[in-house]
Amino acid sequence: MLKADSNVRLVRDVSVKGVACAVPPRVSEVSDLCEKFGQESVNKIMMSTGVERRHVVTDECSSDLCFAAAERLISDMQVDRASIDTLIFVSQTHDYTLPATACVLQQRLGLPITTAAFDIAMGCSGYVYGLWMAASLLSGGGSKRALLLVGDTISKITSGDDRSVAALFGDAGSATLLDYELGAPAIPFVLGTDGRGSPNLIVPGGAFRDRSGYTSDVQDPDVRSAFDLYMNGAEIFAFTLARVPALVAVLHESIERGADGVDKYVFHQANKFMLDHLVKRMKLDRAKVVLDVKSVGNTSCASIPLALVIDQRDHSLPVSGQYMLAGFGVGYSWAGCIANFDGVHISPLVVMPDLKMGAVQ
């Protein structure tokens, strides 16, 4: 039974059916940065972030990763492509300025031309925002089956000379299938935005505010250009500790059994240091909290579904119970929900070159 709260947005009659993820084949070891940053510095980076290696793209785009994940999910679940009437693509690293990448993916996936397809430009909170958007369309009667594709290739916009990000970000794509299902348990969502934090995690140049990259607001010519990601780690950390515990508390209060009613917590996989602090601050049961950055790093908007897939692979336990999903970061933006994962299909992780052969990792 869900409790009423003005900060909670309830979405009814929607169920998550399946999740799949894909990563590129190239693996980048954090230890390879020792020559540039020094052994001691790199050891500290690995200790605090928990990241030892990441899958990073060469020529692949976010759409390629999401396409691979979608093909795996459609194949594994034997989904009739004609039954998908909505396609949502969430990313900060789109293929083109225009057209929308969702339009390209509709054609690549062979979905009917009656499919509604559109992009959402979101980062760390993007997966939960995408779930909310897809679920709202389904609940309101505007859709019957939605395919949510969420992925980023942040490695393309990070400077290898910037030690604050060079060892942190990996690339991944995901696919999630949602259905309209009358009587399905209501999903509580909590969403928030504070644009005052925008300058603290930003790529200042290259878009229409500054196409030429002349801005100098957050630019350090010796470390990064205006076309590279700038991250103020201290401010992002402070924001996270200020906002996420409140987000989790409201979600706990939205369900009858509170924290006892949550079977697993899957937060945005920012880094080990941040997640450890959150767990301690909120006094969560550590055994219920997923941490899977060691081999993939921070994969931005794809980190939550990727954590689900890796957790399933590593523990081989049936996916069931109430899952709290929460994303937070760039924007500033945050979003969380508690969804019933009983019977949700989780496909094995796809490593892209192996897709045609059916191999998985």
Side-chain angles (χ1 to χ4, degrees), residues 27-339:
V27 175
S28 178
E29 299 285 344
V30 175
S31 59
D32 292 342
L33 295 171
C34 289
E35 185 175 344
K36 180 174 291 185
F37 298 133
Q39 183 74 54
E40 184 177 354
S41 179
V42 170
N43 286 343
K44 287 180 179 179
I45 290 172
M46 288 194 289
M47 181 71 68
S48 63
T49 64
V51 180
E52 295 182 7
R53 63 191 61 85
R54 302 147 298 134
H55 286 263
V56 295
V57 296
T58 49
D59 298 323
E60 303 95 341
C61 290
S62 301
S63 66
D64 299 318
L65 301 173
C66 288
F67 172 79
E71 285 290 300
R72 169 65 72 191
L73 190 63
I74 289 170
S75 174
D76 286 355
M77 297 187 68
Q78 298 184 329
V79 176
D80 179 4
R81 295 172 197 261
S83 70
I84 299 171
D85 57 28
T86 301
L87 172 65
I88 302 173
F89 177 70
V90 181
S91 181
Q92 299 169 115
T93 50
H94 301 78
D95 286 17
Y96 310 105
T97 300
L98 57 89
T101 305
C103 297
V104 177
L105 283 164
Q106 174 272 331
Q107 185 273 331
R108 288 184 69 183
L109 288 167
L111 303 186
I113 61 171
T114 52
T115 302
F118 58 93
D119 290 0
I120 299 176
M122 295 292 287
C124 313
S125 64
Y127 183 68
V128 182
Y129 260 91
L131 286 176
W132 171 67
M133 175 63 76
S136 297
L137 289 170
L138 291 162
S139 178
S143 177
K144 292 296 183 183
R145 170 166 283 180
L147 182 62
L148 173 65
L149 305 182
V150 181
D152 260 328
T153 51
I154 299 297
S155 71
K156 288 189 174 186
I157 53 172
T158 55
S159 167
D161 295 321
D162 187 348
R163 72 180 64 211
S164 68
V165 296
L168 183 59
F169 290 98
D171 304 320
S174 70
T176 303
L177 188 71
L178 300 95
D179 279 353
Y180 173 79
E181 186 176 308
L182 186 63
I187 305 174
F189 285 89
V190 176
L191 310 167
T193 311
D194 184 355
R196 292 174 296 178
S198 298
N200 294 321
L201 193 54
I202 190 172
V203 178
F208 292 96
R209 180 66 62 185
D210 179 13
R211 291 183 64 77
S212 300
Y214 290 139
T215 184
S216 59
D217 292 346
V218 292
Q219 192 173 330
D220 184 343
D222 296 325
V223 174
R224 72 186 74 82
S225 76
F227 303 104
D228 295 320
L229 178 70
Y230 165 79
M231 181 175 73
N232 185 326
E235 289 295 329
I236 298 298
F237 182 70
F239 149 75
T240 301
L241 292 188
R243 291 294 181 187
V244 176
L247 165 67
V248 171
V250 172
L251 285 170
H252 280 159
E253 292 168 3
S254 74
I255 60 176
E256 192 66 31
R257 296 176 56 213
D260 291 337
V262 177
D263 297 292
K264 189 160 288 190
Y265 296 87
V266 190
F267 297 127
H268 165 54
Q269 304 289 292
N271 59 69
K272 182 178 183 296
F273 180 78
M274 187 175 288
L275 291 180
D276 284 346
H277 270 72
L278 284 175
V279 171
K280 185 177 180 180
R281 172 74 65 91
M282 296 182 290
K283 299 180 180 178
L284 300 179
D285 181 349
R286 185 65 184 84
K288 291 184 176 182
V289 181
V290 175
L291 176 62
D292 285 313
V293 297
K294 182 178 179 180
S295 62
V296 293
N298 179 337
T299 54
S300 186
C301 61
S303 76
I304 292 175
L306 183 57
L308 282 167
V309 169
I310 294 176
D311 187 62
Q312 168 70 2
R313 178 193 68 185
D314 291 348
H315 296 99
S316 300
L317 296 174
V319 177
S320 64
Q322 300 295 311
Y323 279 37
M324 181 185 290
L325 314 177
F328 44 85
V330 59
Y332 293 143
S333 174
W334 57 96
C337 70
I338 299 177

